[in-house]
Amino acid sequence: MVFGFSLAQFSNSLYAQNFSDAEMDSVLSLAERYFDEGNYPKSFDVYQALLDASIQIGDSSQMGFYYFQMGRMEFYQGTRTSREQALGYFEQALNIGQITSDTSILIRAHRGFGGTLIYDQSLFDSSIYHLKIAEILAIKSGDYRNASGAQSVIGSYLLSRDLLNEAGTYFDKSMVYAVQSGEKESMAYAVQRQGIFQMYKGNYDLSEQLLKEALTRYKEIGNKNMLMNMAEHLRFLYERMKSWDGYLEQTKILDSLRSEIYSEQNARDLQVIRERYESEIKEREIVQQALDIKIKESTITKQKNAIVLISASALIALLVGFLFYSYNRVKQNQKLQAAILIEKERGFKSVITAAESERKRISKDLHDGIGQQLNALRLSLISLSNQFEDNSKNEFNRLIELSSQTAEEVRTISHQMMPKALLEKGLVEAVEDLLQSCFEHSQITYSFEYDNMETRFEEKIEISLYRILQELLSNIIRHAEAFLVSVQLIQNHQKLILFVEDNGKGIFQGSDEGHGLLNIKSRLDMISGRVNYEPSPDAGTIATIIIPIS
């Protein structure tokens, strides 16, 4: 019950815009109060009603927020089934965040994915991937609370695995972000995690000091559920310290808090029952009035229906025939278009394959044929120049310089046709060469990071990823007006991932969204890859290329 209404009535009333902003804030506070009390099913029901209303209104941003909150409630119920359901809600939130370019939703969704997947050890890498993206987006948008939370999740998992040194690193980062956030609850949680960490390290005095500091912060906030949580942690600490006076004191505090929360819950439940009873009486009166009106309307409707039925039968017969005819026409057109599309894709793949083979052949011919001949010509000119006097020798020197320039141009063209570094050394060296050649004569500053890239990949994957990066860099130079470019290349969990980020105005603004981006998609289709474009917090674009590898 919300303000005396059932959740379904509340959702319909919200859709009709019968609730003020203050009442909406009260509803959200109610959902969080249920959460603080550990009553996750009731909190879930409130968010479900809010989601239904936002779907009717068409408010995508709110839909993403409510999907995240519902996933959060499922996660905290703690069962394997509820966590699987939580992942489904987080995926819905992530999809909406990508469609609406809402950074806050993307941060929450990635953090939700990471915090859920981390409990499956086989998915630890995927969990870290999502939490890392959440941290990057949170820092760039100034959301240090979520950045702190992402680090606490990893630290808590490592602590549960007794990996104390690694856990300490993440707890320290969480504390730094919490201080930067300036939020009381974020600071209280970070101090609490530090206290628990020190307890597991055996630093009981420091642990007691930190836990009491966190307790003081939670008292200022007034979160009774977290006060109970702190009492349990302090009681566990005193048990390990064998300080039985402290253990008894915390037990009394814990019992007192439970009693307070139980009394408050009983009072609210009694109010809900009272509101439900009054609501049911009103509903019965409304139903009876509606029933009387329906009986009167029913008599009139039956008379009209007899006339309408005859007319409708004839119309339906005509409509069914027309729809059947139209359906067959549409199916035939769909089959024809599908066949044309398949043939086009097959032709495009053949063109790309043939083009890359021809590039490789021409590159080799230029390097091994014309390039070698030009070098031989330059050496011959040098040898001849030594046999002449100064005037003639100057002319020979000019010819030598011209032949050197020509050889260098041939080498450059050969490299552009098919980079030697890509064929001989692999993606990392080829990307480094490409970035240097693209930006060494521009005002753009770039950075390149890579991880787990010691192995080579299939040639078609390396060539396709290289050509895609060429196209993305070309778009940035021609359209983005950026002055910072970041490129990251990562092999993670049988995936090859390329991140390209700039701080320009976005690759779609001012570009025709034409052949270049279509070429990227077509090349990725050939190797079962996918691309996603997201707005960067620095007002540019983040392009993410993901390619499966065996």
Side-chain angles (χ1 to χ4, degrees):
M1 303 291 291
V2 182
F3 303 125
F5 290 86
S6 68
L7 289 174
Q9 289 173 319
F10 164 73
S11 178
N12 292 331
S13 297
L14 178 62
Y15 175 58
Q17 300 181 339
N18 290 337
F19 284 96
S20 66
D21 291 341
E23 289 173 325
M24 280 299 302
D25 290 340
S26 297
V27 174
L28 290 171
S29 297
L30 176 65
E32 281 304 301
R33 188 176 70 195
Y34 283 141
F35 171 75
D36 291 338
E37 294 170 354
N39 196 339
Y40 308 123
K42 281 192 176 181
S43 183
F44 179 94
D45 289 342
V46 175
Y47 283 121
Q48 176 72 69
L50 289 166
L51 173 65
D52 292 342
S54 64
I55 291 173
Q56 291 177 305
I57 296 170
D59 189 339
S60 297
S61 179
Q62 290 300 316
M63 287 164 57
F65 175 74
Y66 297 139
Y67 273 124
F68 164 75
Q69 293 293 359
M70 290 165 66
R72 182 168 162 243
M73 296 308 113
E74 289 285 9
F75 170 79
Y76 275 104
Q77 291 189 54
T79 66
R80 183 176 184 85
T81 301
S82 67
R83 284 178 179 155
E84 290 174 354
Q85 292 172 338
L87 289 174
Y89 290 119
F90 290 143
E91 184 176 9
Q92 293 277 19
L94 183 61
N95 291 336
I96 290 173
Q98 290 172 342
I99 292 170
T100 61
S101 301
D102 190 325
T103 302
S104 65
I105 297 300
L106 291 172
I107 292 170
R108 288 186 172 96
H110 280 299
R111 182 180 166 188
F113 261 113
T116 306
L117 294 174
I118 204 167
Y119 286 91
D120 188 337
Q121 192 171 359
S122 65
L123 299 174
F124 181 73
D125 289 344
S126 295
S127 170
I128 297 300
Y129 165 75
H130 284 288
L131 290 171
K132 182 66 175 174
I133 291 180
E135 179 190 6
I136 291 171
L137 292 174
I139 292 172
K140 288 185 177 180
S141 61
D143 184 1
Y144 291 104
R145 175 179 180 175
N146 271 302
S148 174
Q151 299 303 303
S152 289
V153 170
I154 302 174
S156 298
Y157 172 77
L158 295 173
L159 187 62
S160 71
R161 308 285 299 177
D162 292 329
L163 300 173
L164 299 182
N165 292 333
E166 294 88 338
T169 301
Y170 285 99
F171 286 136
D172 289 342
K173 288 181 69 177
S174 175
M175 178 65 76
V176 171
Y177 291 145
V179 171
Q180 289 177 289
S181 75
E183 295 187 11
K184 291 183 179 180
E185 190 163 352
S186 183
M187 276 294 300
Y189 188 74
V191 173
Q192 175 194 350
R193 293 287 97 186
Q194 285 282 2
I196 296 170
F197 170 65
Q198 294 298 332
M199 177 173 60
Y200 277 90
K201 286 187 70 176
N203 300 328
Y204 295 144
D205 290 340
L206 179 56
S207 174
E208 181 182 20
Q209 177 185 342
L210 290 168
L211 290 175
K212 285 185 175 180
E213 179 185 344
L215 178 63
T216 301
R217 292 177 182 274
Y218 280 125
K219 284 180 179 178
E220 292 175 1
I221 297 169
N223 188 329
K224 291 185 179 179
N225 196 51
M226 290 308 298
L227 289 176
M228 285 180 56
N229 187 266
M230 290 305 306
E232 289 175 346
H233 287 308
L234 281 167
R235 189 171 69 164
F236 182 56
L237 171 64
Y238 289 134
E239 182 181 6
R240 295 183 68 155
M241 295 172 65
K242 301 188 184 305
S243 174
W244 304 117
D245 289 341
Y247 179 88
L248 180 59
E249 179 186 359
Q250 294 305 316
T251 300
K252 291 179 179 178
I253 292 172
L254 189 59
D255 290 341
S256 175
L257 286 169
R258 284 173 177 164
S259 178
E260 286 181 29
I261 292 174
Y262 179 74
S263 297
E264 291 173 359
Q265 182 63 46
N266 282 344
R268 280 194 295 272
D269 289 344
L270 182 60
Q271 179 64 23
V272 167
I273 292 171
R274 184 181 297 111
E275 290 174 353
R276 186 176 299 165
Y277 174 73
E278 293 173 355
S279 176
E280 287 177 354
I281 291 175
K282 292 178 182 178
E283 287 177 1
R284 288 195 191 99
E285 293 175 353
I286 293 170
V287 168
Q288 185 59 49
Q289 291 174 1
L291 183 60
D292 293 339
I293 294 171
K294 287 291 184 183
I295 292 172
K296 294 178 181 178
E297 292 177 347
S298 177
T299 304
I300 300 171
T301 302
K302 286 179 181 179
Q303 296 173 352
K304 292 181 178 179
N305 286 346
I307 299 171
V308 171
L309 183 61
I310 297 172
S311 302
S313 299
L315 183 60
I316 289 172
L318 291 172
L319 184 59
V320 169
F322 175 75
L323 288 176
F324 183 74
Y325 171 76
S326 299
Y327 175 77
N328 286 333
R329 289 287 302 275
V330 169
K331 289 295 288 184
Q332 290 174 357
N333 286 335
Q334 287 177 343
K335 290 180 180 178
L336 179 61
Q337 293 299 322
I340 292 172
L341 183 60
I342 291 171
E343 193 59 33
K344 283 183 178 179
E345 289 180 354
R346 186 181 295 125
F348 188 79
K349 290 179 181 179
S350 300
V351 168
I352 289 179
T353 303
E356 292 298 343
S357 298
E358 188 64 11
R359 282 171 179 264
K360 189 184 297 185
R361 185 190 67 78
I362 294 173
S363 175
K364 187 174 186 302
D365 289 348
L366 287 173
H367 182 272
D368 297 342
I370 297 174
Q372 297 298 329
Q373 292 173 7
L374 287 171
N375 284 331
L377 175 61
R378 186 176 66 84
L379 293 173
S380 298
L381 289 171
I382 292 172
S383 177
L384 286 172
S385 69
N386 293 330
Q387 303 175 21
F388 290 89
E389 300 299 329
D390 290 342
N391 292 336
S392 299
K393 193 169 187 176
N394 289 337
E395 184 64 21
F396 269 102
N397 287 338
R398 188 183 68 80
L399 293 173
I400 291 169
E401 179 63 24
L402 181 61
S403 65
S404 297
Q405 292 176 358
T406 304
E408 181 62 25
E409 289 180 3
V410 168
R411 190 193 72 80
T412 300
I413 294 171
S414 172
H415 182 79
Q416 290 173 343
M417 294 294 290
M418 182 58 65
K420 187 176 180 181
L422 180 62
L423 296 176
E424 296 182 354
K425 297 181 180 180
L427 272 172
V428 172
E429 287 79 359
V431 169
E432 288 175 340
D433 287 352
L434 177 59
L435 290 169
Q436 182 178 1
S437 65
C438 285
F439 299 131
E440 64 180 342
H441 298 302
S442 71
Q443 300 298 316
I444 297 176
T445 301
Y446 69 90
S447 64
F448 175 46
E449 299 177 10
Y450 57 90
D451 183 46
N452 197 19
M453 292 296 296
E454 293 80 10
T455 58
R456 296 293 301 268
F457 307 99
E458 291 184 54
E459 183 179 274
K460 65 179 181 180
I461 291 178
E462 292 188 340
I463 291 175
S464 295
L465 193 61
Y466 182 85
R467 297 299 183 201
I468 289 167
L469 179 58
Q470 272 186 318
E471 188 63 49
L472 291 172
L473 295 180
S474 174
N475 274 336
I476 291 172
I477 293 170
R478 288 187 289 121
H479 303 299
E481 298 180 8
F483 57 86
L484 291 175
V485 174
S486 172
V487 178
Q488 298 181 42
L489 188 58
I490 301 169
Q491 182 185 177
N492 178 36
H493 202 60
Q494 294 192 339
K495 291 184 179 66
L496 187 57
I497 305 171
L498 173 67
F499 296 98
V500 181
E501 179 180 3
D502 67 80
N503 68 339
K505 63 181 183 180
I507 63 172
F508 297 117
Q509 297 185 26
S511 69
D512 58 3
E513 303 184 27
H515 295 297
L517 299 183
L518 289 176
N519 284 341
I520 290 176
K521 183 180 183 305
S522 298
R523 285 184 180 276
L524 286 172
D525 288 343
M526 290 175 59
I527 53 176
S528 302
R530 65 182 189 273
V531 61
N532 181 55
Y533 302 101
E534 295 181 5
S536 168
D538 294 331
T541 301
I542 300 176
T544 304
I545 311 296
I546 301 177
I547 299 171
I549 55 177
S550 58

